[in-house]
Amino acid sequence: MKKLLAFLCICMQLVPLWGQAVSRISNGVKVEAGTVCVELECFSPSIIRVKKYPSGKIPEKHSLSVVKRPENVKYKLQEKDNRITLITSELSVSLDIAKDQVCFTDKDGKVLLAEKPSSVGFTPFDDAGMSTYKVRQSFRLDADEAIYGLGQHQQGRMNQRNQTMVMRQVNMEIYIPLIHSVKGYALFWDNYSATTFTDNEQGMTFESEVGDLCDYYFVYGGGADGVVAGLRDLTGQAPMFPLWSFGFNQSRERYVSQDELVGVVKKYRDLQIPLDGIVQDWRYWGEDHADWNAIEFRNPLFPNPKKMLDEVHSLNAHAMISVWPSFGPATNPYKDFERHNKLMSHETFPQNSGVKVYDAYDPVARDIYWKHLNEQMFSIGMDSWWLDATEPEHNPIKEEDYDYQTYLGSFRKVRNAFPLVSVGGVYDHQRTVASDKRVFILTRSAFAGQQRYGAQSWSGDVVAAWDVLRNQISAALNFSLSGIPYWNSDIGGFYTANHFPGGVKNPAYQELYVRWMQFSVFTGMMRSHGTNTPREIFQFGNRGDWAFDAQEKMINLRYRLLPYIYSASWDVTSKGGSLMRALFSDFPTDKKVLDLGDEYMFGKSILVAPVTSTSRSRSLYLPEGTRWIDFWTGEMQDGGREITRNAPIDIIPLYVKVGSIIPVGPSVQYATEKPWNNLQIRIYPGADGEFILYEDEGDNYNYEKGKYTTIRMTWNDRKKQFTIYPCEGGYDGMLQERNFRITLVDGQDGLGLDNESQTVNVVYKGKKLNIKLL
């Protein structure tokens, strides 16, 4: 009792310090320093929230991105030399009161990040009649400090230093006010209004149009994986996608009838080309703009949508439907939203057609949105959602449109978070009505925390061009480093007409398309889509034609790698991992990879170097600290040097890190056609290695209840011993016995996936096995 009373006295104590007021608050400290009040709050030993606001005005704020609640963190407070220091087991955070400067250091005293002195700014601002501020804060970065993140951008930058960026969501640009430093920390600026990011010789600054306070989170991870895991801890974990979604998905703008859509699936089956998803783009609702996005099959060429979906399912495929957040005035959703006063004021695409966006910030509006999705689509068997234009699209933009009062304040105040709340509404509602079908959402925009909603983004309506293809790589990696693990792009680029007249019949376009498809094998979703020309594989010719054969090879490669990809996805869900990995994530001491934005790791074993030109060779860098084995030939290469790899049209340069263990699945026509009871296990010798094979029921949420299995595998390189550990976990229908074909990749032969010249076959029944490989 005495200890409790003493603690309460400390918590309530106001300590005068140099004319200031310092008080302990829950999980931190509050300092009233002149005209500004500063709060430092521990969310964990490695996550600190910093709030600053004008004294006497304590703002209330519920974060849209942050879902973590502060932990009961053990910390110490020190007061010395006009400085308050909060110390956890991982960090020290100090506030120099005279300079109004917060500084973050690690437990060894190394400075990680510091604010510029007296650089917080609150400029009074009238936001549609509400008195608030334009807010800013500046920071000091090391001169050679590389930073990443900020969302997804198309300028081809990897390192995001030395630029100015006006962050307002638009097609092809996803703005997330978050930087990820090579020093092992992230800073998330928790503001949803348009924000200008600036980095120059004077410092790095976030300046937002609207804010009642300066509010940011400092996340320390020690390295890229730790940072990303911390961001997930802060903003939400990524659930598992259905296994089928990692297969090949076909789309175009657009299938004009249900017969055409089903016919495409049948054609793939007839050709024995693997396929798991078919996508219906717009105008299934009809051609009149007044019917825009009716979320109904009003188009007479879709007379029986349930039959269409039943036929797709009977062919062992899945369907995705395009839905927008905007509605034409003749649609039932529009009328429903209007009746409840839930339509925003501005018009959007198509221009001058009366189409308006719903107020996704309002829970009632999200209920209405889902009601129509559920009644018209989900109830008849639709498998997944393509939530297009979630920026949302704004055409034309007028400043007064931002005055519109959403459920959470002016549109100006919450503009950039629209995709987060709109996508989140669909996820939350589907989870309440079904547990046997995982939510799978494809969306054009995103904001911090969106990974928790079963969504992955694509890069928007990009143009078919070689430089655009190259820029997709750094765009994807920076997006991943912003904390959102799944990303993809339209294979071949959305627009083709200006660059490649003739489309699929143009050999120049065929080459670009094949190279883009090779890249897409190693992204979150392998998805063909675009306008101006159809994209199905049979549009490119027949077997024996190079463009056809190269695509078939890549689609089959994707399916053979599904055990590796799905296990990597479990690492994303269970450990806050990343699928597309910037090279510095795995090789932080190699200075040459810090600004390398055209190659990456896919999972923790495979280095991917996409071909992004018409050349038949590719220069690439193999990071130091390990050796590398050519995926296609088995040839060993030393790291720490640049090499040139021949790249004929059917080859994408791939290198596997020594010590890797890669499971290879069967040849299939769809992801779940065959159980994984006969897997090839490829061992890449040269270092010790470990892999965890993950399996579950594929398309429900039983894994959240512990219904899944993991099988740990290790390779001892010195002893040449491969060990398979006892199977952990279980679920209904799990395999009780399987055959593992263990292949040692030693560079002696050509090593395509079917080469098993040095293979040991073992029967695994869930018990530990030790296998000696000579």
Side-chain angles (χ1 to χ4, degrees), residues 731-742:
Y731 58 88
D732 294 342
M734 64 177 283
L735 291 170
Q736 302 298 325
E737 180 179 315
R738 67 180 86 209
N739 185 60
F740 286 133
R741 310 184 320 275
I742 303 163

Side-chain angles (χ1 to χ4, degrees), residues 358 366 369-370 373 385 387 420-432 439-441 453:
Y358 84 111
R366 295 196 294 270
Y369 192 59
W370 172 253
L373 289 177
W385 313 106
L387 302 184
L420 178 69
V421 292
S422 185
V423 168
V426 175
Y427 175 86
D428 288 340
H429 279 94
Q430 184 175 325
R431 287 299 306 265
T432 64
V439 182
F440 181 55
I441 296 171
Y453 292 135

Side-chain angles (χ1 to χ4, degrees), residues 545-563:
D545 295 327
W546 65 266
F548 186 105
D549 291 350
Q551 291 182 58
E552 183 178 19
K553 182 176 182 177
M554 289 300 109
I555 294 172
N556 279 309
L557 175 60
R558 175 75 172 195
Y559 278 85
R560 298 295 299 278
L561 290 174
L562 281 181

Side-chain angles (χ1 to χ4, degrees), residues 581-751:
R581 303 169 57 81
L583 291 182
F584 86 89
S585 300
D586 296 285
F587 308 97
T589 63
D590 190 340
K591 300 294 185 183
K592 293 182 179 179
V593 306
L594 295 184
D595 200 20
L596 197 56
D598 65 347
E599 53 186 272
Y600 60 98
M601 296 296 292
F602 186 68
K604 296 182 179 180
S605 296
I606 303 174
L607 185 146
V608 183
V611 177
T612 58
S613 72
T614 57
S615 175
R616 290 295 189 269
S617 65
R618 163 73 209 255
S619 295
L620 61 101
Y621 178 73
L622 296 174
E624 66 182 14
T626 187
R627 287 179 294 164
W628 299 89
I629 297 176
D630 189 305
F631 179 84
W632 302 105
T633 69
E635 179 185 2
M636 183 84 73
Q637 296 275 4
D638 291 330
R641 63 196 187 98
E642 186 171 298
I643 65 168
T644 299
R645 172 61 159 93
N646 290 333
I649 192 62
D650 65 337
I651 292 292
I652 176 174
L654 303 172
Y655 285 84
V656 182
K657 186 170 62 174
V658 294
S660 295
I661 301 167
I662 296 181
V664 177
S667 295
V668 293
Q669 295 302 295
Y670 53 93
T672 59
E673 182 186 18
K674 298 176 184 177
W676 294 347
N677 61 349
N678 191 4
L679 298 183
Q680 182 191 26
I681 308 297
R682 293 166 66 86
I683 300 170
Y684 293 80
D688 293 344
E690 179 183 33
F691 186 84
I692 296 176
L693 178 68
Y694 172 84
E695 289 179 90
D696 61 21
E697 294 172 271
D699 195 8
N700 60 38
Y701 287 99
N702 286 340
Y703 75 88
E704 294 182 341
K705 303 172 185 177
K707 292 188 176 184
Y708 61 87
T709 62
T710 56
I711 301 174
R712 180 172 175 250
M713 306 174 181
T714 62
W715 168 249
N716 185 309
D717 197 60
R718 181 179 64 83
K719 295 181 179 180
K720 297 296 182 283
Q721 180 170 292
F722 182 64
T723 302
I724 310 174
Y725 289 85
C727 179
E728 296 187 3
Y731 58 88
D732 294 342
M734 64 177 283
L735 291 170
Q736 302 298 325
E737 180 179 315
R738 67 180 86 209
N739 185 60
F740 286 133
R741 310 184 320 275
I742 303 163
T743 301
L744 191 65
V745 181
D746 68 356
Q748 299 302 308
D749 301 295
L751 288 162

Side-chain angles (χ1 to χ4, degrees), residues 220-236:
Y220 181 62
D225 283 348
V227 171
V228 170
L231 291 172
R232 301 275 176 72
D233 182 33
L234 182 68
T235 65

Side-chain angles (χ1 to χ4, degrees), residues 241-251 255 261 264-269 272-280 309 311-321 381-384 437 440 524-528 537 555-563 565-566 666-674 676 698-699:
F241 286 139
L243 176 58
W244 68 261
S245 72
F246 293 101
F248 180 61
N249 289 260
Q250 182 63 61
S251 178
Y255 296 118
L261 182 142
V264 168
V265 181
K266 289 180 178 178
K267 184 71 170 178
Y268 271 87
R269 294 290 178 251
Q272 295 187 311
I273 303 293
L275 178 75
D276 264 279
I278 189 77
V279 185
Q280 179 57 49
L309 293 176
E311 289 182 300
V312 168
H313 295 156
S314 71
L315 292 164
N316 298 297
H318 299 78
M320 173 180 282
I321 191 74
M382 192 60 67
D383 299 295
S384 54
K437 182 180 288 189
F440 181 55
M525 184 182 186
M526 189 180 187
R527 181 185 59 88
S528 171
I537 189 172
I555 294 172
N556 279 309
L557 175 60
R558 175 75 172 195
Y559 278 85
R560 298 295 299 278
L561 290 174
L562 281 181
I565 295 169
Y566 202 55
S667 295
V668 293
Q669 295 302 295
Y670 53 93
T672 59
E673 182 186 18
K674 298 176 184 177
W676 294 347
D699 195 8

